[in-house]
Amino acid sequence: MRIPLSIVVALTFLLAAGVSLVAASFAVTAVEENSEIAVRRTLDEQGHAWAEVQADGLRVIVSGTAKDEATRFNALSVIGGEVDPSRVIDQMKITPTADLAAPRFSAEILRNDSGVSIIGLIPSSVDRDAIIRALRDLDKAHKVTDLLEMADYPKPSGWDDAMSYAMAALRVLPRSKVSVSAGRVAVIAISDSRAQKEKLEQELTKMAPPSLRIGLDIAAPRPVITPFTLRFILDETGPHFDACSAQDDTAKKRILNAAHAAGLEGNAECTVGMGVPSPNWARASELSIQALSELKMGSVTISDADITLIAAQGTDPALFDRVIGELETALPDVFALHPVLPEPETKDSIGPPEFTATRSPEGLVQLRGRLGDENLRRMVDSYAKAAFGSSSVYTATRLTPDLPSEWPVRVLAGLEVLSFLKNGALTVTPDKVSLRGVSEQKDAKSEIARHLSEKLGEAQNYALSITYQAPPEPLDKDIAPEECEARIADIQSRAKIAFEPGSATIATESLKTVDLIAEVLKVCGPIRMEIQGHTDSQGRATMNQQLSQSRAQSVLNELRARRILTSSYGAVGYGETQPIGDNDTEEGREENRRITFRYIRPADLEETETTLDAIAEQPEGAVDGAPATPASQDTKPAEDNAPETAGEDQ
C-alpha cells in the first residue's frame, strides 16, 4: 500500500515538533534547577537562610519572613546578582513590629517681661486651647508663643496634676522657666530679694500635691550696697567687723583671711553685693586691715573709695607715721586715705560737749545734752517725733554756742540710726558718734555702719555696739515643717499607732496617739506630708502591701475626722519593703509594723538637669526622691505553706 506524500510530510512535521517539545522541556528544567540552586547557594552564603526559593520556568519565586525591611531589600539585591531581576517574584514578608511605645510627654514654659512661650509634646487628649488661655491670662499685654506638638497617645498618669501645679507656679513667678512632665515639675526662677526667695519656696512647696515631684531653684540677686562699706575694729574686746562688703566670693575670702591674720577668731559675715567702687577693693581692704593690725588698736573704715584709719589714743607717733606712709604708698589708685591720731588727754581738760538720745524697749525716746541754737532744737525735736512718734519723744536739751560746725549732721545722723534699734542709746561728742543697743534685724550693724559712713563723711569716728535679738514669733505662726515632722516622730516614739490584728482598724488605745498627732498638725499649716504604712514579712507580699495601704488611709481618714486639712497629704503603703527590724524575731517584726509621717521636701535642682530630654529620662511614679508606690504584686517567692492573707499578728 502506498502512503500519499502529503501524509508523509505531515507525519514528519509532527515528529519534529514532538522532538522539539521534548528538547525544550529538558532545557527549561535545566534552567529552573540551575537558577534555583544558584540563588539558594548565594542566599545561604549571605546569611539569608530564612528565605525560600522556588523556580517556575524562568521565574524565581522568593518567599519567607525577613526581620525588617533592610534585610528584605538586601536579600533582593543578592538574588539580583544571580538572575535577571525581572524574573524575580517577591513574596517575602516582614516580621510585624510591636506596638510603638508612647512618647515621653513634656513641656517647657518660659515667662519673662516679653511674654510667655511654651514648647514641647503633649497628649492630643489634653485641652490645648485651655492651656493657651491660661497662659494668656498670666500676661494679657503680650501674645503667647505656642510651639506645642501633639501625639495621639493616652495621657500619662500624673500629667494633669503637673500641668495644674505649673500654671499655679507661673502665676506667682513673673520671671521663670517651668518644665513639666508626668508627675514632675522643675522650676527655675528669679526673685527680687532673699526674703522673697524664702517666701516663694515655702509657698510653692505648700501648694504642690503630695504625689507630685517638684524641684525648685529660685535665685536671689546680689544686693546693691551703697555705699560700699567695710569697718574693722581692734579694741579691748578683740578684732571684729562692724560692716564688711565684697564684690564676689574671691574678694570675700581675701578680706576674711586678712582679718583672721589680724587676730579675728571664728566665723565672720561679709556681704557679697554689687556697687564696688574699684576692682581693687579686696586689695585695699587687705592693706588697711594689715596696717591697723600693726598699730595694735584702732579702727579702719572704708566707704566707697575713702579710707579712714583712726589709731587708739596713745599710739606711738613714729609707728603711726611709718604705718600710714607705707599704707599710702601701697594703696591702689582711686582710694584716698584719711589718717587720724587722737591728741593725748591733758589733766586739766574738762569734759567735751555731749548730746544723748535713749530709746527704751517700750519705744519711749528721751533727748538730752547740748544743741547749738533754737532752730537746731526745733529741727531735732521734729525729726525725732517723725521717726519715733509724737507721743513717744521727750526733749530736755540745752543751748550751747560754739559747738563744732558738723554737730547738726552728727546729731541727725545719730537719731536716724537709733531708729534701727528696738532699744538703745546714742552719744554724740566732737570726736565720736557712739551707738549701742539691741536690734531685731540681723544685718542692722552693717546697715548702720554704711549709713554713718555716708552721712558723716571722711575722717569721722564712730563706735557701734549692737546686739541682735530675734523678734518674737507671731502667736499664730505655723511651725517649720521639719519641726512638725520631728514632733510627730517624738509622739510615736512614746506610743505608736497600732491596729487590730490583720485589719486596718486603729486600735482603741492608739486613738489618743492620733489625737496628739492631730494637735501638732493643726499648727503645721498646709505642708506636704506622706503618711506611710509598713508591715512585717509575714504572709504574701501582695497582701502586706494592700494592708499597709489600707492602714495608712485609715490614719488619713482619722485625721480628716479631726478637722485637719489634708489636701496636701498622701497615704502610701510600702508593705514589707522597708524593714527597720529583723523579721526573724518577734521584736523586729513589731518594729516593722508601723505608721510614719514624712515631710515631702522639694528636690534639689543643683544636681538635676531641667531640659526636656533630661526630664523625659526621669522614672515615673517617684515622689521627691522616694521610691515609687509599691505595685500590688507578690515580690517574694511563695513558700509551700505561705498563707493567702496577711498574718494575724500584722
Side-chain angles (χ1 to χ4, degrees):
M1 178 179 178
R2 188 176 180 183
I3 301 173
L5 181 59
S6 59
I7 293 175
V8 173
V9 173
L11 291 173
T12 301
F13 275 109
L14 288 173
L15 180 61
V19 172
S20 297
L21 287 172
V22 171
S25 176
F26 279 109
V28 169
T29 300
V31 171
E32 288 180 352
E33 292 178 352
N34 290 337
S35 298
E36 184 174 337
I37 292 171
V39 171
R40 282 182 181 278
R41 182 176 62 250
T42 304
L43 287 173
D44 289 341
E45 291 174 352
Q46 297 296 322
H48 297 295
W50 53 269
E52 298 292 337
V53 181
Q54 181 182 1
D56 182 9
L58 296 179
R59 300 188 306 169
V60 178
I61 302 172
V62 187
S63 60
T65 303
K67 64 179 181 180
D68 52 39
E69 181 62 33
T71 302
R72 170 184 167 277
F73 182 79
N74 183 261
L76 285 173
S77 299
V78 169
I79 296 170
E82 295 296 329
V83 298
D84 187 342
S86 62
R87 294 169 52 196
V88 179
I89 306 300
D90 179 14
Q91 295 184 353
M92 291 182 288
K93 298 180 181 179
I94 300 173
T95 302
T97 57
D99 292 338
L100 293 176
R104 298 284 297 191
F105 292 110
S106 59
E108 202 160 86
I109 309 171
L110 179 67
R111 184 184 180 192
N112 54 33
D113 296 337
S114 300
V116 182
S117 62
I118 181 169
I119 185 173
L121 179 67
I122 64 174
S124 57
S125 57
V126 172
D127 190 343
R128 177 177 183 165
D129 292 338
I131 293 176
I132 302 304
R133 284 196 302 271
L135 294 177
R136 191 175 293 117
D137 289 341
L138 297 175
D139 186 358
K140 296 184 178 180
H142 297 89
K143 183 178 179 181
V144 175
T145 303
D146 178 9
L147 300 175
L148 286 174
E149 298 289 341
M150 307 189 75
D152 190 13
Y153 286 90
K155 182 167 53 178
S157 174
W159 176 265
D160 287 339
D161 283 346
M163 187 57 73
S164 297
Y165 176 77
M167 293 299 177
L170 286 165
R171 292 189 192 100
V172 298
L173 299 172
R175 297 180 298 279
S176 59
K177 182 181 78 170
V178 180
S179 302
V180 184
S181 61
R184 188 179 191 277
V185 176
V187 176
I188 299 177
I190 299 175
S191 62
D192 293 330
S193 64
R194 186 171 297 276
Q196 188 189 37
K197 164 186 163 71
E198 295 175 357
K199 181 180 178 181
L200 287 172
E201 286 176 343
Q202 294 176 2
E203 183 177 354
L204 292 170
T205 299
K206 289 180 179 180
M207 71 169 60
S211 60
L212 186 66
R213 295 178 64 216
I214 62 172
L216 303 178
D217 184 5
I218 300 178
R222 290 185 298 165
V224 177
I225 302 174
T226 306
F228 221 74
T229 307
L230 181 143
R231 180 170 168 82
F232 187 70
I233 299 173
L234 281 171
D235 56 19
E236 296 84 356
T237 63
H240 59 273
F241 282 105
D242 274 352
C244 181
S245 306
Q247 70 268 36
D248 53 41
D249 289 331
T250 301
K252 172 182 175 179
K253 185 176 180 180
R254 291 176 58 183
I255 293 171
L256 293 181
N257 286 343
H260 287 302
L264 179 68
E265 297 180 355
N267 297 325
E269 290 295 327
C270 195
T271 304
V272 176
M274 298 181 292
V276 65
S278 167
N280 293 317
W281 171 267
R283 178 61 178 160
S285 301
E286 288 175 322
L287 292 171
S288 301
I289 292 173
Q290 291 168 5
L292 182 64
S293 177
E294 290 191 56
L295 295 177
K296 305 301 183 183
M297 294 188 70
S299 67
V300 60
T301 304
I302 310 178
S303 178
D304 285 337
D306 291 319
I307 302 176
T308 301
L309 193 153
I310 302 176
Q313 198 167 52
T315 300
D316 181 7
L319 173 63
F320 181 78
D321 290 342
R322 179 181 65 80
V323 170
I324 294 302
E326 292 174 350
L327 179 58
E328 285 180 331
T329 303
L331 279 174
D333 293 340
V334 177
F335 290 92
L337 177 62
H338 308 283
V340 177
L341 180 61
E343 294 289 338
E345 291 184 355
T346 59
K347 292 183 179 180
D348 58 347
S349 62
I350 60 175
E354 184 179 84
F355 172 86
T356 63
T358 59
R359 186 182 189 187
S360 70
E362 296 77 24
L364 300 178
V365 176
Q366 293 190 5
L367 308 179
R368 301 180 184 276
R370 305 180 189 183
L371 296 175
D373 53 41
E374 187 61 37
N375 287 334
L376 179 57
R377 179 155 59 185
R378 284 197 297 267
M379 183 186 302
V380 169
D381 183 69
S382 299
Y383 185 89
K385 289 179 178 179
F388 304 105
S390 298
S391 60
S392 301
V393 176
Y394 172 75
T395 302
T397 57
R398 65 190 182 95
L399 304 182
T400 303
D402 302 325
L403 291 174
S405 59
E406 68 273 10
W407 194 261
V409 174
R410 297 162 70 82
V411 169
L412 293 174
L415 286 176
E416 187 170 353
V417 295
L418 180 63
S419 66
F420 286 40
L421 304 183
K422 177 178 174 56
N423 59 279
L426 165 72
T427 302
V428 179
T429 61
D431 60 350
K432 183 183 289 187
V433 174
S434 300
L435 183 69
R436 67 181 186 277
V438 176
S439 174
E440 294 181 347
Q441 298 175 242
K442 281 188 176 181
D443 58 349
K445 195 171 187 178
S446 296
E447 289 297 321
I448 290 171
R450 293 191 191 100
H451 186 85
L452 289 178
S453 296
E454 180 181 22
K455 297 294 184 180
L456 300 183
E458 61 190 41
Q460 294 294 330
N461 189 17
Y462 57 89
L464 303 178
S465 179
I466 310 300
T467 303
Y468 168 68
Q469 176 181 293
E473 296 286 351
L475 297 178
D476 58 347
K477 179 179 174 61
D478 295 338
I479 63 175
E482 292 81 4
E483 175 67 15
C484 180
E485 186 180 39
R487 289 190 189 182
I488 294 174
D490 181 62
I491 292 172
Q492 290 195 280
S493 69
R494 298 192 300 269
K496 65 185 293 185
I497 299 177
F499 296 84
E500 299 294 337
S503 77
T505 302
I506 298 177
T508 303
E509 61 272 16
S510 293
L511 293 177
K512 179 62 176 176
T513 302
V514 178
D515 292 338
L516 294 174
I517 292 174
E519 290 301 316
V520 172
L521 291 174
K522 287 179 182 178
V523 295
C524 289
I527 65 174
R528 300 175 71 212
M529 184 72 75
E530 183 178 86
I531 303 173
Q532 302 176 340
H534 304 272
T535 68
D536 60 30
S537 62
Q538 298 289 301
R540 290 174 58 85
T542 302
M543 302 305 296
N544 287 338
Q545 193 280 322
Q546 292 174 352
L547 179 62
S548 66
Q549 178 67 46
S550 298
R551 287 179 170 178
Q553 188 63 46
S554 292
V555 174
L556 182 60
N557 293 339
E558 287 291 337
L559 293 174
R560 286 172 178 163
R562 288 160 175 76
R563 305 181 68 83
I564 301 299
L565 298 177
T566 60
S567 59
S568 58
Y569 293 9
V572 180
Y574 288 88
E576 61 191 63
T577 62
Q578 297 183 9
I580 58 174
D582 186 357
N583 275 311
D584 292 333
T585 66
E586 176 54 38
E587 292 78 8
R589 289 192 292 271
E590 176 62 26
E591 286 185 75
N592 293 333
R593 297 191 292 269
R594 68 196 189 279
I595 292 290
T596 57
F597 288 74
R598 174 178 169 268
Y599 164 52
I600 304 175
R601 296 164 175 80
D604 185 0
L605 287 189
E606 292 181 358
E607 301 178 359
T608 304
E609 293 292 337
T610 56
T611 61
L612 294 177
D613 292 339
I615 290 177
E617 295 173 1
Q618 293 288 332
E620 294 183 356
V623 180
D624 282 351
T629 303
S632 297
Q633 298 178 5
D634 193 353
T635 57
K636 68 182 184 71
E639 300 185 11
D640 294 340
N641 58 353
E644 289 297 319
T645 59
E648 284 299 311
D649 61 343
Q650 290 282 357

